[in-house]
Amino acid sequence: MKTCLLRLSAILVAVILLLPSASKASTKTTLLSQDFSSGTFPPTGWTVNTTDPNYWDSWPYHGYWYRSSAGNGGYNGSAVLWSMYAYTYGNNPTTNWMQTPSVDASSFATASDSTFVDFDFYGAYNYYQDFYRIQSWTLTVMAGSTKLTSFGNSNNDLSNYTRFDYTYGYNDPGTYSGYWRHYHVPIPVSARTNAMSIEFSMSEYGSWGYVYADNFAFDNVVISDTRYDVLTLLGPNSLDFGAVPYLTTSNPMYTKFTNHSSRTITFSNFAVTGTNPNDFTIIYSPSSIPVGATDSVGVTYTPQASGTRAANLTFNTDADVPTSVNVPLSGYGLRPFIALPQFLYSMFDHSHVRFADTAWATLMVTNTGQVPLHISPSTNITGDYPQMYTIQRLPPAIGPDQTDSIVISFEPTIEGLMDAQINIVSDADNGTQVMPLKGIGILARLVVNNAYMNNVAMGFDSVAVGTDSCFQVTLFNPGSDTVAIEKNFFSSADYDFHLTPIVGSDSLIAPNASQTIGVCFQPLKRGYRTAELRIVTNIPLTYADPRQDTSQFTVLFTGTGVPNGNFSITGPSMVDTVAVGKSACQMDTLWNTGQASLTVTSLSVSDSSEFMLTPPTLPLVLAPGTFQTVQVCADP
């Protein structure tokens, strides 16, 4: 027969309660300890079942318990259940059990005690199990009517065997610890009575006539209790604040605890840690808790952002159990969401505003969030020309799915495009919103005869008395707004001057256009003359400090009337006929009837072939009121 040996490393299988650190005080009591080293079996107070209820023939060893001198590690001894045999037609199991003496565990029936049963178990997989693969076995550990644990090889699960030896017949429980497995099984409070005993029950099942299971052994059975100074956490074990509006503080929540120890327990190192510690605030934390008292730690939640928020409440105690506490904290932050009109890229776009005028614009703001939206007073205007714009209105709280408005005014003091932006600060989840501002400042300007000043002088020089001399005063608008000529008149003038003013639609001069005003000077007598033309426009005050009026323009005209000579020619009223080939002469007179001398520089006749002029010596100066005769002869 083929045999093999598979050595299993020792495995510690345990169900762990909340244990203290090694440095904490605790008291351990052993209620029962049995290593089967005594030659008496079963040991005093122990009970074993050695009768197979399904036994039907005379085989003497079915379900027989005995003591082996070999045990865990090859020393002392062990309790062995050898050759379980079941007649399984009708699927009747074979059960054999071993029971400890009763012990009084009633004084340990509190949550602050950790009561366990410890034992070492040996299970051999041998010829019977290898040949009869349709069988199975189960080990059940009971404390009275309370099942503490159970395991086996149901469905051919071989994980609970500790030794594999395919030889036929009896196998000793082993000579070293590699064949054993240790179990550390907790005993619940409800099973800790004044007459508690532990029962180890082995059951065998199968679906084929006769089944066998051999060589199950137990060693080092210990029932013990460890008592600690325990702080009992009543909870809740985590605090969920639910949905809370952004930057709004929730009602406090508390996690409670009771001192079930024999001394006052002190607390230290209260803290909030984790992902979002700033969202949670400890509002109450006791420094200690007396024996038997109940107290709590209180926390509030103020979400600093939207969405899921989490942290941990932690603190330390000087109890044996627990030495540190960690309570998960969670909440959900609700924030509004600000939405501005779609496709609105700027405000005051293409708005042309005159100096001293104010334009208004309204920006609609919608809250698409779940809680009210608050526009902060710190909302501000920045950019190249923030001084040109003023926030006239900020809305109060805007409810969910509601719309309100921000009102802004534009009052330019500079000509041209005034770039700026409004920064809308709020508690919205999508942060500060920026809207460009692009108003255009326009200003009417006026240039008088190419002079960009408000006082212009124009001179007519000397003009002969009785004659006219005229000027065209050109008004040009180099600005960005239409200039209106509200008045143009002589504010003072001698009678020698005449004005042709601008009237009607001509008084509106568009940017880069011009108009003219006519002024004429006709001196009535000799001497110096003046006139003042006043032009009043709609150009606004300047923005200097103090503001100045530059809307009026003055043009000062000067001229001098001078005397002049008055030249005339007189002669006979008619000319007699002259025979061809003959000559006839007559006298014409050159007169100066004016007030000033005049000079005759040349004299001529239009038909010099038939007329002959005999002029005086030229140039001829004629004093006022004088004359000079000239002979003219005809030779037809």
Side-chain angles (χ1 to χ4, degrees), residues 449 455-463 468-473 497 519-523 528-533 554-561:
N449 276 15
N455 295 285
V456 179
M458 299 182 67
F460 281 93
D461 202 1
S462 297
V463 178
D468 279 341
S469 178
C470 295
F471 278 164
Q472 295 292 326
V473 180
F497 293 92
V519 176
C520 293
F521 175 50
Q522 186 181 32
Y528 181 77
R529 302 287 185 269
T530 62
E532 184 178 270
L533 172 63
T554 299
V555 183
L556 179 64
F557 295 95
T558 60
T560 302

Side-chain angles (χ1 to χ4, degrees), residues 183-228:
Y183 288 88
H184 183 68
V185 181
I187 302 174
V189 172
S190 61
R192 303 173 197 171
T193 65
N194 60 355
M196 181 185 73
S197 62
I198 304 299
E199 178 185 281
F200 302 91
S201 176
M202 295 293 301
S203 298
E204 182 181 23
Y205 303 82
S207 59
W208 178 85
Y210 305 96
V211 293
Y212 302 87
D214 273 348
N215 305 326
F216 296 96
F218 296 84
D219 197 1
N220 301 320
V221 178
V222 177
I223 301 175
S224 63
D225 177 84
T226 304
R227 173 162 292 175
Y228 305 99

